[in-house]
């Protein structure tokens, strides 16, 4: 996965594309293709470009994923 996303490239993306990029970023992180710090830095650049509605949608996705991780880790 190439991570050379300039500010101009990110700003040119639609809201749907930004959300898809974040989903893909989560997936790449989960499978170990990118380190946590790189993912966090890119996410920090993408999230401010989301509308309030899509930002709320993203926060819910992150919270849901975190809750699933806790349940999975707690079950071990």
């Amino acid at each position: 996965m190439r991570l050379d996303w300039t500010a101009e490239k990110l700003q040119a993306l639609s809201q749907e594309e930004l959300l898809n990029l974040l989903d893909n970023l989560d997936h790449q992180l989960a499978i170990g293709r990118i380190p946590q710090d790189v993912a966090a830095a890119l996410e920090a650049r993408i999230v401010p470009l989301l509308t309030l509605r899509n930002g709320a949608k993203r926060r819910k996705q992150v919270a849901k994923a975190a809750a699933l991780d806790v349940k999975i880790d707690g079950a071990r």
Side-chain angles (χ1 to χ4, degrees), residues 3-59:
L3 298 175
D4 58 347
W5 288 94
T6 65
E8 293 81 20
K9 286 182 183 178
L10 290 174
Q11 290 173 349
L13 296 176
S14 70
Q15 290 291 299
E16 182 179 350
E17 290 169 323
L18 289 169
L19 289 170
N20 286 337
L21 181 59
L22 285 170
D23 287 342
N24 189 42
L25 187 62
D26 290 342
H27 177 72
Q28 297 298 319
L29 179 62
I31 63 172
R33 289 193 67 191
I34 58 171
Q36 175 67 38
D37 59 333
V38 172
L42 185 54
E43 182 174 0
R45 293 177 50 219
I46 297 169
V47 170
L49 300 174
L50 296 174
T51 61
L52 289 176
R53 180 179 179 190
N54 285 332
K57 180 178 179 179
R58 173 67 180 167
R59 285 189 299 279

